[in-house]
Amino acid sequence: MSAAMVARSSLEVMLDILRQRDEQSQDAPPPLPVRPTSRGRLPSSRRSLPVSFKLENGAPKILLKDSVKKEERLDHQPLKEDKEVLLKSGIFGSKRIVQVERPEESPYAKMPELESCEERTDETDSPDSPVAPLASAASLEDKLGWSDTIDYVLKKKIQVWCWLPDAKWELGKIQSVYGDDSDVMLSDGKVLRVSVENLLPANPDILDGVDDLIQLSYLNEPSVLHNLQYRYSRDLVYTKAGPVLVAFNPFKKVSLYGNDFVAAYRQKLTDSPHVYAMADTAYNEMMRDGVNQSIIISGESGAGKTETAKIAMQYLAALGGGSGIEYKVLQTNTILESFGNAKTSRNDNSSRFGKLIEINFSSAGKIYGAKIQTFLLEKSRVVQRATGERSYHVFYQLCAGAPPHLQEHLKLKAASEYEYLKHSDCLRIDDVDDAQRFQILMQALDTVQIPKEDQENAFAMLAAILWLGNIDFSVIDNENHVEVVLSEGVINAANLLGCKVPDLMLALSTHKIRAGNDDIVQKLTLPQAIDTRDALAKSIYVGLFDWLVEQINNSFQMEKCRTGRSINILDIYGFESFHKNSFEQFCINYANERLQQHFNRHLFKLEQEEYIADGIDWTNVEFVDNTNCLNLFEKKPLGLLSLLDEESTFPKATDLTFANKLKQHLTGSTCFKGERGGAFKICHYAGEVMYDTSGFLEKNRDPLHSDIIQLLLSCSCQLSQLFASNVLSQSQKESNLLRQPCKVDSQKQNVGTKFKGQLFKLMQRLENTTPHFIRCITPNSKQLPGMYQHDLVLEQLRCCGVLEAVRISRSGYPTRMRHQQFAERYGFLLLKNLASQDPLSVSVHVLRQFNVPPEMYQVGYTKLFFRTGQVAALEDARNRTLQGILWVQKNFRGHQARCYYQALKKGVTTLQSFVRGEKSRCEFKVLVKRWRAAVLIQKHVKHQIARTMFDDPLKDIILLQSVIRGLLARNNFVVMKTREMSKLDHVKDNSDPDKDLPEMKATNKDSQVHPSALAELQRRVLKAEAAWREKEEENAILKQQVQHYEMRWSEYDAKMKSMEEKWQKQLTSLQVSLAAAKKSLAADDLASQQGRLDISPLQYSYDSEDTMSAGTHTPEGTPAKPSHASDAGLVRNSNGTQSAVSHLVASDAGFVRNSDGTHGAVSHLVKEFEQQRQVFEDDARFLLKVKSGHSGSSINPAEELHKLKARFVTWKKDYKVRLRETKIVLHKLGSPEERTRKRWWGNWSTK
């Protein structure tokens, strides 16, 4: 192959072949692209990553077995099977392979895809060429293109970053160039002369604050720091760095969370970097590909990892909510924070354990279960910690917020009363209410359905730990042996644990040693007793924490079948480097080294190895690897963990002997440096950390004597027994693994080895998922909002590998798809059908159709590799096409539905018309029947009403006649009786005995009276006196009645006078009205009809209803008094209305006879009015006479007056109607001129 062909890209060669194929035949599938000879090879049957990787002098070394298919290489250079080859120039694109020692243990060793690996070599390099070292920090910018742009920058005098003598980067602008130096004007106007080597190009202002570092034109450290600071100052705490999300801790509340933001990211309304976006990506990939996902959150202590994990869980709960279990999952954060977080010197809420939360999803994407796994709880914090730090939050929350009944049960006191809490001189955290947090903890425990009894037992264990810290010891001999002082702490601790006080005191002050068949009791010294007490407290807390996690997992029991879909959220302690670093920091930093390798593995190693395995033309990106540091920890038998386990088995070993052993065996390692005393340094990926070996052996052994275990087993508390049983079961398992008999005193697996095993399982679990990385950054070490420390941020970016991740994502192909997958997903976008349906042919035609630039993708053996943004363009076209298809389908289906609906509607309408017609006809028949029935009912009802209307007045008339006749009869009877009584009174007056008394006395004087006669006379006198007294009483009663009647007559007289006045006024008004009417009619008659008879002048006129409304009339049945006012006349005119009726009849007849003119009608009305007026006046005069007593009639004047008034009102209404009818007739008979002249009559009558 020619040199020109080698210089061309593989895509150009492939396109040439496709063009030739199109010219010849369209049926044959396109061949695979021809690879350059320098890199050409066939894919192996299985390609995977190297299982070992480390750096030597800055260059990576890889252990590879000799391939059995070396003859397939295109260079055709046979290699010996035992020859060692060293790779050169890059990481995986090097020229030689050197054989290095593979670590005996690796979390990836058991994975089949990691069993073998092949590397290619170049023809131009000899097998013996030396290793090319990694570029230094100074030459790193050359790889970024700075050496190619220096002339352009100097020529255009654009903005640059200037490295100042005070070790700071400052933004400036080049003013002039003098050889290798240049004058730069800083932002404050100061001009400095700086060497060209200390200048870096700056991005234009338009790129300030971009949300993805890949978008920066110049990806150098000051540009990245400036962009992050720009966003951080505006509370934009999230920034993308390729596939990595950089999250700054704002140390304050920012308005980036809530339901509105969740909905925005869920509906794809925004694409700004956010934890929500990362969680949404993981969820969508899980649902789309069916592959488990993991969100790995890392960073230094205080960078906000715990809060970031909570935010991710909140978003996933919103996506998969609906079953109710998502609320339980969120509440676990509250519980685990209380029991596993504490205040440190760097963070007020630092996680002192690692946790992996696996959230399980159903096939519909709903949460149906979860599981929590914890790692390496820092139990030493329970008994001791540095000054200014706190123990776990739950202790302080329990002391501050426990309800009274719980305080009394647990004998709780203030936190300052317990030795375990007060010796660090930190009992409170600013702006944190421990009492309120305890109430929230209680609610969370209820939410995850932990019974109240178990909650109280857990709080009892916490209180027991606090009381254990208050146990004191007293020295009893010269050998420093001690015994427990009987105090409140011992009694309360024993009661809460459920054991006897003497048993607890004996277990803390003595130790039993088995010697043959005998047990030897050995007294403990003061340090040993304190260690035993602290070991018991730590063991109880660790057992309580594990039990609590187990209870939480039990509450998440999954009822449905597993679908295998899950998202794992890893929140583990960050890299730590304190003034004094102990065994805990040793384990924590080891875990972070392993996580960093996992990060490098997926973002660098696997990324680049996949390019090589698929035959992509690729230049490897160099990065700093931490394999050497991991080998320092894990290598056997001379690794840190192996030497620590070996030294822990020696009873007489001390921390100093362990430090000396490390210096003896590990001095040759580049990552280890021994220090004076018991200290040593390890070069981690994040920098050097000095460790103090004080307490390493004791913490690694984590001893728990058999006496303590037996004590816990004998306790009545179930939790104490459970903790001891777990220790025994763990010892049993370890003994079975070691094939040794189990003993109570058998030593547990060391903490370091156990933690290493947990870490390996975690890595294997994460390896089976698609990782999503979130790097948390703390902007300053003082935990203040708004403060940005460049050096601290830059150090974290370097340690986390963020800049390398951006470079590889920028220069690589982050998106890849298998040929089959690409063809299935985008093949339907082709505008014409292909004769060959080969996936590669379909894929290439799709790319050509959409004019994807050749430099934006490469075609591999099995996959297509795309640069950033290309798949998004294809996805956009696919979505638009699908939307168009859906639109067509929607409209076609809508048309079908409308046609079907119209046909159905027409049929329904026709059916409804027939049904409604039949229904209407039936209803009409029923209505006709009802109408006929109603008519019949109305006929009978009207008949009944008419009969009733006739019968009721008839009955009333008969009744009225009977009452009047009875009244007259009674009056006559009263008159007759009065006359009879008058006659009797006259007789009595004539026969009065008092007149004869003087004569009788005179006679008695003359003659002697007989005694019997005298007695008779006396009796008669007495009788006369009694009669006289009765008459006196009757006279008095009659006088009262007379007075009463006089009063009534006076009232009647006043009423009659008022009535007379009213009648006179009405009569006067009627007279005036009739006189006016007479004159008007007379004038009209004379003008229209000459020779007509004159009309006699009327003395009275008729007024409107308002004028007569105040009048009164006699009632029907009241006798009308004639002019001579006699009783006979009263009887003859008993019906006062008879004459009025006769007059009305006569008037009607007269009106008919004289209908040809108006004179007869008006004169008839005048006559009727005169007659009725005379009748009413006669009746009124008669009533006045009856009232005054001049008439002997016995009628009631008041009642008759009321009846007269009713008669008058009735006649007035009737008279008014006939008067209006007369007016209408007159208007009809008169001419238009007459109607005009008579218009005043209508106006007058309507008043």
Side-chain angles (χ1 to χ4, degrees):
M1 187 176 294
S2 63
M5 188 65 182
V6 175
R8 301 175 65 190
S9 67
S10 60
L11 181 61
E12 294 173 341
V13 176
M14 181 194 69
L15 293 177
D16 290 341
I17 295 174
L18 291 176
R19 294 191 191 96
Q20 296 174 6
R21 185 207 65 186
D22 293 338
E23 294 174 358
Q24 296 175 359
S25 174
Q26 294 294 333
D27 297 335
L32 286 174
V34 178
R35 302 296 172 190
T37 56
S38 61
R39 294 183 181 271
R41 57 169 179 146
L42 294 176
S44 59
S45 59
R46 175 181 288 276
R47 304 200 57 82
S48 59
L49 296 178
V51 297
S52 177
F53 184 83
K54 73 175 185 176
L55 293 175
E56 181 175 332
N57 294 329
K61 299 180 180 180
I62 304 170
L63 175 64
L64 296 175
K65 296 181 180 180
D66 294 342
S67 175
V68 296
K69 296 185 179 181
K70 293 180 181 179
E71 65 276 8
E72 296 181 0
R73 301 193 180 193
L74 298 181
D75 54 10
H76 302 289
Q77 294 183 1
L79 298 176
K80 297 182 180 180
E81 294 182 359
D82 57 348
K83 187 171 183 178
E84 299 178 357
V85 183
L86 180 66
L87 289 177
K88 180 184 178 182
S89 177
I91 297 177
F92 294 103
S94 31
K95 309 302 185 294
R96 304 182 63 197
I97 301 175
V98 61
Q99 188 167 0
V100 296
E101 183 179 2
R102 173 187 294 184
E104 296 182 5
E105 291 184 304
S106 172
Y108 319 112
K110 296 182 181 181
M111 301 180 65
E113 63 272 14
L114 303 179
E115 292 177 355
S116 63
C117 179
E118 293 181 352
E119 292 297 331
R120 60 191 180 190
T121 60
D122 291 342
E123 292 179 347
T124 56
D125 298 318
S126 66
D128 298 329
S129 60
V131 178
L134 275 175
S136 62
S139 62
L140 186 59
E141 301 300 334
D142 294 339
K143 293 178 171 49
L144 297 175
W146 170 236
S147 60
D148 299 333
T149 59
I150 180 63
D151 295 336
Y152 175 80
V153 171
L154 295 177
K155 181 178 179 180
K156 295 296 183 179
K157 298 182 180 180
I158 62 175
Q159 290 189 118
V160 294
W161 291 103
C162 177
W163 180 254
L164 301 181
D166 56 354
K168 290 183 180 180
W169 290 101
E170 187 73 23
L171 186 64
K173 189 174 183 180
I174 296 177
Q175 300 296 314
S176 59
V177 180
Y178 304 97
D180 293 338
D181 297 333
S182 60
D183 291 340
V184 179
M185 178 181 290
L186 303 181
S187 57
D188 58 358
K190 185 178 180 181
V191 179
L192 295 178
R193 176 162 295 185
V194 185
S195 174
V196 176
E197 297 178 354
N198 294 329
L199 298 179
L200 290 176
N203 293 288
D205 295 339
I206 195 174
L207 295 179
D208 286 346
V210 293
D211 57 7
D212 195 340
L213 298 180
I214 291 180
Q215 302 175 14
L216 294 177
S217 299
Y218 302 105
L219 190 65
N220 47 53
E221 290 179 353
S223 296
V224 171
L225 289 176
H226 173 72
N227 189 76
L228 293 177
Q229 183 181 11
Y230 183 90
R231 293 179 60 81
Y232 177 74
S233 63
R234 289 159 176 78
D235 290 339
L236 302 174
V237 296
Y238 297 110
T239 306
K240 289 283 288 184
V244 181
L245 178 65
V246 178
F248 276 83
N249 188 348
F251 295 113
K252 65 178 182 179
K253 293 183 179 180
V254 292
S255 57
L256 295 176
Y257 313 101
N259 295 331
D260 295 339
F261 285 90
V262 170
Y265 283 95
R266 189 173 184 176
Q267 300 172 10
K268 306 296 186 296
L269 301 179
T270 179
D271 57 353
S272 300
H274 202 287
V275 179
Y276 290 164
M278 184 69 72
D280 187 75
T281 301
Y283 179 83
N284 292 332
E285 290 184 6
M286 177 194 68
M287 298 302 298
R288 182 189 65 195
D289 303 331
V291 179
N292 294 341
Q293 308 290 312
S294 60
I295 300 176
I296 301 174
I297 305 171
S298 59
E300 291 190 0
S301 178
K305 299 183 298 299
T306 302
E307 291 298 323
T308 302
K310 289 164 60 176
I311 294 170
M313 291 175 63
Q314 291 171 2
Y315 186 81
L316 293 177
L319 289 182
S323 61
I325 197 173
E326 68 276 1
Y327 186 65
K328 287 185 180 181
V329 174
L330 295 178
Q331 289 300 310
T332 58
N333 291 319
T334 302
I335 301 174
L336 295 179
E337 281 188 16
S338 294
F339 284 85
N341 288 26
K343 181 185 183 302
T344 64
S345 59
R346 290 188 177 184
N347 188 3
D348 290 343
N349 190 31
S350 176
S351 296
R352 308 317 300 163
F353 71 105
K355 66 175 179 288
L356 178 69
I357 301 177
E358 178 185 3
I359 304 177
N360 302 101
F361 294 84
S362 64
S363 58
K366 300 299 181 181
I367 298 176
Y368 71 93
K371 185 178 180 181
I372 299 175
Q373 183 180 356
T374 60
F375 310 95
L376 192 65
L377 177 69
E378 187 185 9
K379 56 185 177 182
S380 62
R381 182 167 291 273
V382 176
V383 298
Q384 61 182 2
R385 69 208 65 86
T387 303
E389 297 185 354
R390 291 208 318 176
S391 184
Y392 293 103
H393 295 325
V394 68
F395 290 112
Y396 306 91
Q397 294 172 1
L398 178 64
C399 294
H405 72 276
L406 187 60
Q407 291 182 358
E408 183 179 358
H409 174 66
L410 304 180
K411 309 298 182 183
L412 285 177
K413 294 183 178 180
S416 58
E417 300 292 331
Y418 297 105
E419 294 293 333
Y420 277 163
L421 302 181
K422 69 179 183 180
H423 76 270
S424 60
D425 296 334
C426 182
L427 297 177
R428 294 184 56 83
I429 302 176
D430 295 338
D431 301 329
V432 175
D433 188 353
D434 290 322
Q436 184 180 3
R437 294 291 178 90
F438 184 78
Q439 300 302 323
I440 298 175
L441 173 63
M442 296 287 289
Q443 296 176 4
L445 292 173
D446 293 336
T447 302
V448 298
Q449 299 177 354
I450 295 180
K452 287 293 184 181
E453 183 180 358
D454 291 344
Q455 294 181 27
E456 292 183 359
N457 292 335
F459 294 142
M461 292 297 100
L462 295 175
I465 293 173
L466 295 178
W467 285 115
L468 283 175
N470 285 8
I471 295 178
D472 296 325
F473 301 94
S474 61
V475 179
I476 58 176
D477 55 24
N478 295 332
E479 296 181 0
N480 204 22
H481 293 154
V482 297
E483 65 179 9
V484 178
V485 177
L486 183 61
S487 62
E488 183 183 14
V490 179
I491 297 174
N492 291 335
N495 293 335
L496 294 172
L497 291 175
C499 64
K500 298 179 181 179
V501 175
D503 294 343
L504 178 59
M505 297 175 64
L506 185 64
L508 295 180
S509 59
T510 61
H511 175 51
K512 291 183 180 179
I513 301 176
R514 187 74 175 178
N517 296 329
D518 298 331
D519 291 335
I520 300 176
V521 179
Q522 180 181 0
K523 293 184 178 181
L524 300 179
T525 61
L526 182 59
Q528 292 174 343
I530 293 175
D531 291 342
T532 301
R533 179 198 64 186
D534 295 345
L536 175 59
K538 292 185 292 184
S539 175
I540 292 174
Y541 192 79
V542 171
L544 176 63
F545 187 79
D546 294 339
W547 170 83
L548 187 62
V549 173
E550 182 180 0
Q551 295 299 312
I552 294 174
N553 289 332
N554 292 338
S555 68
F556 293 148
Q557 291 180 354
M558 293 167 284
E559 299 177 358
K560 302 178 182 179
C561 298
R562 282 181 170 270
T563 61
R565 297 182 179 181
S566 64
I567 297 179
N568 301 276
I569 300 178
L570 179 63
D571 175 20
I572 200 166
Y573 19 62
F575 185 84
E576 293 183 349
S577 178
F578 300 129
H579 179 71
K580 180 180 180 181
N581 300 284
S582 186
F583 180 73
E584 290 78 13
Q585 284 71 41
F586 178 80
C587 295
I588 288 173
N589 293 339
Y590 165 54
N592 279 272
E593 286 287 349
R594 179 56 70 182
L595 289 174
Q596 181 65 24
Q597 192 202 41
H598 182 73
F599 175 78
N600 293 340
R601 179 181 178 80
H602 279 272
L603 292 187
F604 303 125
K605 294 182 181 179
L606 295 183
E607 184 93 6
Q608 299 184 128
E609 178 60 18
E610 187 171 3
Y611 296 155
I612 297 172
D614 223 61
I616 297 301
D617 190 7
W618 168 255
T619 301
N620 293 284
V621 176
E622 299 172 349
F623 61 93
V624 178
D625 189 60
N626 64 340
T627 305
N628 279 347
C629 187
L630 286 175
N631 287 338
L632 177 65
F633 277 92
E634 300 170 354
K635 186 178 179 180
K636 288 186 178 181
L638 298 179
L640 286 172
L641 295 176
S642 299
L643 294 175
L644 179 60
D645 287 345
E646 178 183 345
E647 195 70 10
S648 298
T649 57
F650 298 123
K652 295 185 178 180
T654 62
D655 298 328
L656 187 59
T657 60
F658 169 64
N660 293 332
K661 179 175 286 189
L662 294 180
K663 297 173 185 178
Q664 179 182 356
H665 293 90
L666 302 178
T667 304
S669 175
T670 57
C671 297
F672 179 85
K673 183 186 295 185
E675 298 292 334
R676 292 183 179 180
F680 63 92
K681 285 184 178 180
I682 297 178
C683 183
H684 292 281
Y685 75 95
E688 286 188 350
V689 179
M690 179 179 292
Y691 298 95
D692 188 355
T693 57
S694 300
F696 260 62
L697 297 181
E698 188 70 16
K699 293 178 181 179
N700 185 54
R701 292 168 183 161
D702 191 22
L704 188 64
H705 298 309
S706 59
D707 301 333
I708 300 298
I709 298 176
Q710 292 296 337
L711 174 67
L712 294 177
L713 287 173
S714 64
C715 293
S716 60
C717 181
Q718 295 181 357
L719 285 182
S720 301
Q721 298 177 5
L722 180 62
F723 300 159
S725 300
N726 291 338
V727 173
L728 290 178
S729 62
Q730 185 178 2
S731 300
Q732 178 70 34
K733 292 179 182 179
E734 295 171 359
S735 299
N736 293 337
L737 292 176
L738 298 175
R739 298 181 180 179
Q740 294 179 357
C742 178
K743 299 180 182 179
V744 176
D745 286 337
S746 63
Q747 193 66 24
K748 299 186 303 179
Q749 189 179 20
N750 291 331
V751 174
T753 304
K754 181 180 178 181
F755 179 67
K756 176 184 174 182
Q758 289 181 338
L759 195 57
F760 274 35
K761 291 180 180 179
L762 174 63
M763 292 297 107
Q764 293 174 1
R765 189 171 179 178
L766 295 178
E767 191 69 20
N768 295 325
T769 64
T770 301
H772 304 269
F773 296 97
I774 300 178
R775 293 299 196 183
C776 296
I777 304 295
T778 175
N780 60 81
S781 59
K782 297 182 180 180
Q783 304 181 20
L784 296 176
M787 181 181 292
Y788 189 87
Q789 297 178 349
H790 292 77
D791 296 339
L792 179 62
V793 174
L794 180 59
E795 180 183 359
Q796 295 176 79
L797 293 176
R798 289 174 177 172
C799 294
C800 295
V802 172
L803 299 179
E804 288 82 358
V806 175
R807 282 201 299 272
I808 194 171
S809 298
R810 188 174 182 177
S811 59
Y813 302 89
T815 307
R816 63 216 64 179
M817 286 188 181
R818 297 189 306 274
H819 298 161
Q820 182 70 25
Q821 182 183 1
F822 186 88
E824 290 176 354
R825 189 166 183 84
Y826 304 107
F828 73 94
L829 299 177
L830 289 175
L831 299 179
K832 60 181 181 179
N833 295 329
L834 299 179
S836 174
Q837 295 298 325
D838 178 69
L840 179 58
S841 177
V842 173
S843 301
V844 172
H845 278 84
V846 170
L847 294 174
R848 292 177 61 186
Q849 176 178 313
F850 285 95
N851 298 322
V852 179
E855 65 273 9
M856 302 308 294
Y857 72 95
Q858 288 201 42
V859 180
Y861 293 123
T862 60
K863 298 179 181 178
L864 294 171
F865 294 81
F866 298 91
R867 293 194 184 274
T868 303
Q870 298 308 305
V871 172
L874 291 175
E875 279 291 322
D876 184 58
R878 179 177 181 270
N879 292 334
R880 289 199 306 269
T881 305
L882 289 177
Q883 290 295 330
I885 294 173
L886 291 176
W887 184 86
V888 173
Q889 291 178 347
K890 176 187 70 175
N891 285 274
F892 178 72
R893 290 170 181 169
H895 176 70
Q896 283 185 325
R898 283 189 293 273
C899 292
Y900 175 75
Y901 170 75
Q902 293 296 337
L904 185 63
K905 181 181 178 181
K906 185 176 180 181
V908 171
T909 303
T910 304
L911 180 62
Q912 287 178 347
S913 64
F914 284 104
V915 172
R916 289 170 179 169
E918 184 64 24
K919 183 178 179 182
S920 298
R921 284 188 289 272
C922 294
E923 291 178 353
F924 178 73
K925 290 180 181 179
V926 174
L927 187 61
V928 168
K929 291 181 180 179
R930 294 181 61 184
W931 178 79
R932 290 175 179 175
V935 170
L936 181 60
I937 293 172
Q938 287 178 357
K939 180 180 70 173
H940 290 282
V941 170
K942 290 178 179 178
H943 175 71
Q944 183 67 28
I945 292 174
R947 180 179 297 173
T948 303
M949 291 176 66
F950 175 76
D951 291 342
D952 289 346
L954 181 61
K955 292 178 181 179
D956 294 340
I957 291 172
I958 295 173
L959 178 61
L960 181 60
Q961 289 176 352
S962 64
V963 171
I964 293 174
R965 291 169 182 170
L967 179 62
L968 294 176
R970 283 190 295 273
N971 290 339
N972 292 331
F973 175 77
V974 170
V975 171
M976 294 173 64
K977 187 177 180 180
T978 303
R979 291 176 180 177
E980 188 68 25
M981 291 298 295
S982 298
K983 293 179 180 181
L984 292 177
D985 290 340
H986 180 69
V987 173
K988 286 182 182 180
D989 291 338
N990 295 331
S991 60
D992 191 355
D994 293 337
K995 295 180 180 180
D996 299 334
L997 184 59
E999 295 179 357
M1000 292 177 67
K1001 289 182 180 180
T1003 305
N1004 288 335
K1005 289 181 181 180
D1006 297 337
S1007 61
Q1008 194 69 23
V1009 181
H1010 193 272
S1012 61
L1014 183 59
E1016 180 66 22
L1017 290 175
Q1018 289 178 352
R1019 184 182 63 81
R1020 290 178 64 183
V1021 169
L1022 292 175
K1023 184 177 179 181
E1025 290 179 352
W1028 180 76
R1029 285 192 295 269
E1030 291 178 359
K1031 293 298 180 179
E1032 289 292 334
E1033 294 176 358
E1034 291 179 0
N1035 291 334
I1037 293 173
L1038 291 174
K1039 289 180 180 180
Q1040 293 178 357
Q1041 292 179 354
V1042 169
Q1043 293 177 357
H1044 177 68
Y1045 288 142
E1046 289 178 352
M1047 292 175 61
R1048 292 185 62 183
W1049 282 119
S1050 61
E1051 294 177 359
Y1052 292 152
D1053 188 26
K1055 289 182 180 179
M1056 293 303 294
K1057 288 181 179 180
S1058 63
M1059 293 301 298
E1060 288 177 357
E1061 294 176 356
K1062 292 180 181 179
W1063 288 348
Q1064 291 297 329
K1065 290 179 181 179
Q1066 292 182 358
L1067 291 174
T1068 304
S1069 176
L1070 288 173
Q1071 290 174 357
V1072 173
S1073 299
L1074 288 175
K1078 174 188 173 184
K1079 293 179 180 179
S1080 176
L1081 289 174
D1084 293 339
D1085 290 341
L1086 289 175
S1088 61
Q1089 297 180 4
Q1090 295 181 359
R1092 178 172 295 183
L1093 297 176
D1094 294 337
I1095 300 176
S1096 59
L1098 298 177
Q1099 298 178 357
Y1100 305 100
S1101 63
Y1102 178 77
D1103 201 355
S1104 64
E1105 183 179 358
D1106 296 336
T1107 308
M1108 296 187 299
S1109 62
T1112 58
H1113 49 273
T1114 59
E1116 182 179 359
T1118 302
K1121 185 178 180 300
S1123 58
H1124 54 272
S1126 63
D1127 292 340
L1130 178 64
V1131 174
R1132 285 195 304 271
N1133 295 291
S1134 60
N1135 191 347
T1137 61
Q1138 185 175 358
S1139 60
V1141 173
S1142 63
H1143 283 296
L1144 288 174
V1145 175
S1147 66
D1148 292 340
F1151 181 75
V1152 173
R1153 289 192 304 267
N1154 297 284
S1155 59
D1156 56 347
T1158 60
H1159 180 74
V1162 175
S1163 61
H1164 175 74
L1165 290 176
V1166 172
K1167 291 178 181 180
E1168 179 185 353
F1169 178 79
E1170 289 293 335
Q1171 291 174 0
Q1172 288 296 327
R1173 182 180 65 82
Q1174 186 65 35
V1175 171
F1176 288 129
E1177 286 180 352
D1178 293 342
D1179 291 342
R1181 292 192 190 100
F1182 175 74
L1183 290 176
L1184 289 175
K1185 290 181 179 181
V1186 172
K1187 180 195 68 171
S1188 60
H1190 295 164
S1191 176
S1193 178
S1194 60
I1195 62 175
N1196 188 354
E1199 183 178 355
E1200 294 301 326
L1201 182 62
H1202 179 71
K1203 292 180 180 180
L1204 181 62
K1205 181 179 180 181
R1207 284 179 56 202
F1208 181 77
V1209 172
T1210 303
W1211 173 80
K1212 181 185 68 174
K1213 291 182 179 179
D1214 181 67
Y1215 189 80
K1216 178 181 178 182
V1217 171
R1218 288 186 286 109
L1219 189 63
R1220 289 180 178 175
E1221 292 175 354
T1222 303
K1223 181 193 70 172
I1224 294 172
V1225 172
L1226 292 176
H1227 275 279
K1228 290 181 179 180
L1229 294 176
S1231 62
E1233 294 81 1
E1234 292 175 349
R1235 286 197 295 270
T1236 303
R1237 289 194 300 269
K1238 294 178 182 179
R1239 189 170 298 170
W1240 66 270
W1241 172 264
N1243 295 336
W1244 178 266
S1245 62
T1246 56
K1247 289 182 180 180

